[in-house]
Amino acid sequence: MTKQEVAERFQIPIAILEEYESWGLCDSVRQVMDVWEYDDRDIERLSLIMTLHDIGFSKEETFEYMRLYLSERDTQAERLSMLNRRRSDSLDEIHFKQMQLDRLDYLRYELQKSQKRKKSSPSF
Protein backbone atom coordinates (compact mmCIF):
# COMPACT_ATOMS: atom_id res chain seq x y z
CA MET A 1 0.00 0.00 0.00
CA THR A 2 1.10 3.53 -0.60
CA LYS A 3 1.41 6.18 2.10
CA GLN A 4 -1.83 7.80 0.98
CA GLU A 5 -3.70 4.48 0.99
CA VAL A 6 -2.43 3.66 4.49
CA ALA A 7 -3.35 7.13 5.74
CA GLU A 8 -6.88 6.91 4.38
CA ARG A 9 -7.61 3.28 5.20
CA PHE A 10 -6.24 3.26 8.74
CA GLN A 11 -6.74 6.95 9.61
CA ILE A 12 -3.03 7.46 10.29
CA PRO A 13 -1.85 11.04 9.89
CA ILE A 14 0.70 11.57 7.13
CA ALA A 15 3.02 13.16 9.74
CA ILE A 16 3.11 9.86 11.65
CA LEU A 17 3.88 7.95 8.45
CA GLU A 18 6.68 10.35 7.58
CA GLU A 19 8.03 10.10 11.12
CA TYR A 20 8.00 6.29 10.82
CA GLU A 21 9.84 6.41 7.50
CA SER A 22 12.42 8.90 8.77
CA TRP A 23 13.42 6.66 11.67
CA GLY A 24 14.82 4.06 9.29
CA LEU A 25 14.10 1.34 11.81
CA CYS A 26 12.31 -0.94 9.41
CA ASP A 27 13.65 -2.53 6.31
CA SER A 28 10.18 -3.59 5.28
CA VAL A 29 9.23 -0.15 4.03
CA ARG A 30 10.52 0.01 0.51
CA GLN A 31 10.43 2.60 -2.18
CA VAL A 32 9.17 1.64 -5.62
CA MET A 33 9.22 4.32 -8.30
CA ASP A 34 9.44 7.07 -5.64
CA VAL A 35 6.39 5.70 -3.79
CA TRP A 36 6.72 4.09 -0.36
CA GLU A 37 5.10 0.68 -0.14
CA TYR A 38 3.81 -0.62 3.21
CA ASP A 39 3.24 -4.27 4.08
CA ASP A 40 1.31 -5.96 6.90
CA ARG A 41 4.26 -5.74 9.32
CA ASP A 42 4.41 -2.00 8.77
CA ILE A 43 0.71 -1.69 9.52
CA GLU A 44 1.18 -3.61 12.79
CA ARG A 45 4.10 -1.37 13.74
CA LEU A 46 2.17 1.75 12.82
CA SER A 47 -0.70 0.55 14.98
CA LEU A 48 1.72 0.26 17.91
CA ILE A 49 3.12 3.73 17.15
CA MET A 50 -0.41 5.17 17.13
CA THR A 51 -1.12 3.48 20.46
CA LEU A 52 2.07 4.91 21.95
CA HIS A 53 1.16 8.39 20.71
CA ASP A 54 -2.39 7.97 22.05
CA ILE A 55 -1.18 7.05 25.54
CA GLY A 56 1.00 10.12 25.70
CA PHE A 57 4.44 9.04 24.52
CA SER A 58 6.49 11.83 22.99
CA LYS A 59 8.09 11.36 19.58
CA GLU A 60 11.39 10.61 21.28
CA GLU A 61 9.84 8.06 23.61
CA THR A 62 7.98 6.44 20.73
CA PHE A 63 11.19 6.20 18.72
CA GLU A 64 13.04 4.66 21.67
CA TYR A 65 10.23 2.18 22.34
CA MET A 66 10.15 1.15 18.67
CA ARG A 67 13.94 0.86 18.57
CA LEU A 68 13.75 -1.50 21.53
CA TYR A 69 10.75 -3.33 20.07
CA LEU A 70 12.60 -4.01 16.83
CA SER A 71 15.86 -4.91 18.53
CA GLU A 72 17.19 -8.40 18.13
CA ARG A 73 17.91 -8.65 21.85
CA ASP A 74 15.34 -9.17 24.61
CA THR A 75 14.06 -5.71 25.55
CA GLN A 76 10.82 -6.57 27.32
CA ALA A 77 12.05 -5.31 30.70
CA GLU A 78 13.11 -1.96 29.23
CA ARG A 79 9.83 -1.54 27.38
CA LEU A 80 7.84 -2.52 30.47
CA SER A 81 9.78 0.09 32.44
CA MET A 82 8.84 2.73 29.86
CA LEU A 83 5.18 1.72 30.06
CA ASN A 84 5.26 1.75 33.86
CA ARG A 85 6.74 5.29 33.85
CA ARG A 86 4.02 6.47 31.47
CA ARG A 87 1.37 4.84 33.66
CA SER A 88 2.78 6.51 36.76
CA ASP A 89 2.86 9.88 34.97
CA SER A 90 -0.76 9.38 33.86
CA LEU A 91 -1.82 8.57 37.42
CA ASP A 92 -0.08 11.71 38.65
CA GLU A 93 -1.99 13.73 36.05
CA ILE A 94 -5.27 12.11 37.09
CA HIS A 95 -4.63 12.84 40.77
CA PHE A 96 -3.74 16.44 39.98
CA LYS A 97 -6.94 16.84 37.94
CA GLN A 98 -8.93 15.27 40.79
CA MET A 99 -7.49 17.85 43.20
CA GLN A 100 -8.45 20.60 40.76
CA LEU A 101 -11.99 19.24 40.54
CA ASP A 102 -12.24 19.01 44.32
CA ARG A 103 -11.21 22.67 44.65
CA LEU A 104 -13.55 23.70 41.86
CA ASP A 105 -16.42 21.84 43.53
CA TYR A 106 -15.64 23.49 46.85
CA LEU A 107 -15.77 26.97 45.28
CA ARG A 108 -19.03 26.10 43.50
CA TYR A 109 -20.49 24.78 46.75
CA GLU A 110 -19.54 27.97 48.59
CA LEU A 111 -21.12 30.15 45.90
CA GLN A 112 -24.30 28.06 45.82
CA LYS A 113 -24.54 28.16 49.61
CA SER A 114 -24.11 31.93 49.54
CA GLN A 115 -26.83 32.28 46.91
CA LYS A 116 -29.24 30.19 48.95
CA ARG A 117 -28.63 32.33 52.03
CA LYS A 118 -29.33 35.50 50.04
CA LYS A 119 -32.56 34.06 48.65
CA SER A 120 -33.78 32.78 52.00
CA SER A 121 -32.87 35.85 54.05
CA PRO A 122 -35.72 38.31 54.56
CA SER A 123 -35.32 41.66 52.98
CA PHE A 124 -36.37 44.65 55.07
Side-chain angles (χ1 to χ4, degrees), residues 67-79:
R67 188 186 65 73
L68 291 169
Y69 176 76
L70 297 169
S71 174
E72 296 196 9
R73 63 184 178 84
D74 181 13
T75 62
Q76 287 183 349
E78 293 167 271
R79 288 182 284 138

Side-chain angles (χ1 to χ4, degrees), residues 16-123:
I16 298 291
L17 297 173
E18 289 172 352
E19 181 178 303
Y20 175 70
E21 291 172 4
S22 74
W23 289 343
L25 293 174
C26 306
D27 57 10
S28 56
V29 175
R30 55 206 174 280
Q31 196 168 6
V32 178
M33 299 178 69
D34 293 329
V35 177
W36 289 97
E37 290 291 327
Y38 291 82
D39 63 17
D40 290 340
R41 288 180 300 177
D42 296 310
I43 303 306
E44 289 174 22
R45 291 172 184 158
L46 286 163
S47 175
L48 177 56
I49 289 169
M50 293 298 294
T51 298
L52 294 170
H53 278 281
D54 289 347
I55 63 173
F57 271 44
S58 67
K59 287 181 182 183
E60 295 78 17
E61 291 168 321
T62 301
F63 173 78
E64 180 61 17
Y65 189 95
M66 292 305 295
R67 188 186 65 73
L68 291 169
Y69 176 76
L70 297 169
S71 174
E72 296 196 9
R73 63 184 178 84
D74 181 13
T75 62
Q76 287 183 349
E78 293 167 271
R79 288 182 284 138
L80 184 58
S81 177
M82 290 179 77
L83 294 172
N84 286 338
R85 275 194 309 273
R86 183 67 229 148
R87 184 178 192 281
S88 178
D89 291 347
S90 293
L91 283 172
D92 288 345
E93 291 171 24
I94 289 168
H95 293 144
F96 178 75
K97 288 293 185 185
Q98 183 61 53
M99 286 184 350
Q100 285 181 319
L101 283 171
D102 291 345
R103 291 175 181 158
L104 180 87
D105 287 344
Y106 173 77
L107 291 173
R108 290 175 61 233
Y109 168 77
E110 288 295 317
L111 278 174
Q112 289 168 346
K113 189 170 73 170
S114 174
Q115 284 178 336
K116 286 180 183 176
R117 275 195 303 245
K118 284 182 182 177
K119 287 181 182 178
S120 65
S121 65
S123 56

